[in-house]
Amino acid sequence: MKFSFLPGLLLAALIMVSAPEALAKKKKHKPKSAPAAPGQPDYSEPTEALAPYIIHLEQLLSLQRTAPKEMLPILDEAPGKIAIARLEFAAQRKTAAPEDQAEFDAGIATCDALIRALDERRNTLGDIHESSAVKSSTTLGSGPRKDNLTQGIHGGDFAKGVGAGIEYKREKDAKGAAKKGAAQTDAAFSATRINRWNKRAAELRTVILAAYAKTK
C-alpha cells in the first residue's frame, strides 16, 4: 500500500509549526519594562503617554481656560509632567531597538514643542497682567487736580463745610471716572493681546500635532 498522502501531511505540519515563529520574527517587539504604577503614564508608549495633553491641547493653550473643574489640575500641572515625560522618553530611547527609536525622538520633539508653547502662554499672561497693573496705577495715581474750595470762603464754619462737601464730591467723581477709564483701557489692551495670542496658539498647535503624529 502506498501512502502518497504522507508527504502532504508532513509539509502541512511543518508549515503550521514554523508559521508562528516566522510571524514572531517579523513582528516588532519592544523590550519589556516595569509596568507603570496605577495612574502613571506608560512612557514606553509616547503616543499614549502624551494623549491627554493632545486631547486637551486647545484648553491647555487657552489664556482663559474654561475646562471642567476636574480637568484644571491636569492643565495646571502639565509643564512639570511634560518635562518628566521628556526625560523618560530619552531614557527609554537608550535601550530601544533601532526601529523603535524614531517614536521616542518624536515624543521628545512633541514635549519640546509643548514646553515652548506653554512658556509663551505664561509670558503672554504675565505681560497682560503687568501692563494692566501699570496702566491702572498710572491713571489712578494722577488723580484729579486738587483745589481747596474752602479757601477764600467767608461766612463761618457752615460755609466752609459746604465748600468741603463740594470738594469731596468732585474728587470722588474724578477718581471714579479715572477708574472707569483705566478699566476700559485695560479691557481694550487685554482683548488685543488675547486675539494676537489666539492666532499664535493656532500656529503652535500645528507644530505640536505634526510632531505628535510621528509618535504613531
Side-chain angles (χ1 to χ4, degrees), residues 98-177:
E99 63 269 22
D100 295 333
Q101 291 178 357
E103 65 181 288
F104 290 109
D105 289 338
I108 292 170
T110 304
C111 289
D112 288 341
L114 282 165
I115 290 170
R116 284 194 299 269
L118 290 173
D119 282 345
E120 282 195 42
R121 175 187 179 274
R122 186 188 66 238
N123 292 337
T124 299
L125 279 173
D127 289 344
I128 290 174
H129 292 157
E130 183 178 355
S131 297
S132 297
V134 170
K135 286 179 180 296
S136 295
S137 62
T138 301
T139 305
L140 293 176
S142 60
R145 183 175 63 88
K146 295 193 68 175
D147 292 323
N148 189 351
L149 296 186
T150 61
Q151 291 179 357
I153 292 181
H154 302 285
D157 293 338
F158 177 76
K160 289 186 177 182
V162 172
I166 294 172
E167 179 182 3
Y168 173 77
K169 184 177 185 306
R170 186 192 65 174
E171 186 174 343
K172 183 178 179 181
D173 291 345
K175 284 186 176 180

Side-chain angles (χ1 to χ4, degrees), residues 96-97 117 190:
S190 297

Side-chain angles (χ1 to χ4, degrees), residues 7-211:
L9 287 175
L10 291 173
L11 180 60
L14 181 62
I15 292 173
M16 291 179 65
V17 171
S18 61
E21 185 178 352
L23 289 173
K25 289 180 180 179
K26 290 182 180 180
K27 188 176 180 180
K28 183 171 66 174
H29 286 287
K30 294 181 181 179
K32 290 184 179 180
S33 56
Q40 292 297 316
D42 181 4
Y43 295 112
S44 67
E45 297 290 345
T47 302
E48 295 178 12
L50 294 173
Y53 307 110
I54 300 302
I55 292 171
H56 301 287
L57 186 56
E58 187 170 351
Q59 293 101 322
L60 195 63
L61 298 184
S62 175
L63 293 179
Q64 300 167 308
R65 289 173 175 168
T66 56
K69 188 176 180 180
E70 60 272 14
M71 269 303 304
L72 292 179
I74 297 176
L75 300 177
D76 293 340
E77 296 169 5
K81 295 291 181 68
I82 293 169
I84 292 172
R86 190 193 189 284
L87 294 174
E88 292 288 347
F89 295 154
Q92 293 273 351
R93 187 190 186 282
K94 292 180 180 179
T95 58
E99 63 269 22
D100 295 333
Q101 291 178 357
E103 65 181 288
F104 290 109
D105 289 338
I108 292 170
T110 304
C111 289
D112 288 341
L114 282 165
I115 290 170
R116 284 194 299 269
L118 290 173
D119 282 345
E120 282 195 42
R121 175 187 179 274
R122 186 188 66 238
N123 292 337
T124 299
L125 279 173
D127 289 344
I128 290 174
H129 292 157
E130 183 178 355
S131 297
S132 297
V134 170
K135 286 179 180 296
S136 295
S137 62
T138 301
T139 305
L140 293 176
S142 60
R145 183 175 63 88
K146 295 193 68 175
D147 292 323
N148 189 351
L149 296 186
T150 61
Q151 291 179 357
I153 292 181
H154 302 285
D157 293 338
F158 177 76
K160 289 186 177 182
V162 172
I166 294 172
E167 179 182 3
Y168 173 77
K169 184 177 185 306
R170 186 192 65 174
E171 186 174 343
K172 183 178 179 181
D173 291 345
K175 284 186 176 180
K179 187 174 182 179
K180 183 178 180 181
Q184 291 174 342
T185 301
D186 291 346
F189 175 79
S190 297
T192 300
R193 292 303 299 268
I194 289 171
N195 289 336
R196 189 183 305 167
W197 170 255
N198 289 339
K199 294 178 182 178
R200 176 59 179 157
E203 297 172 356
L204 293 169
R205 283 197 298 270
T206 300
V207 174
I208 293 167
L209 293 175

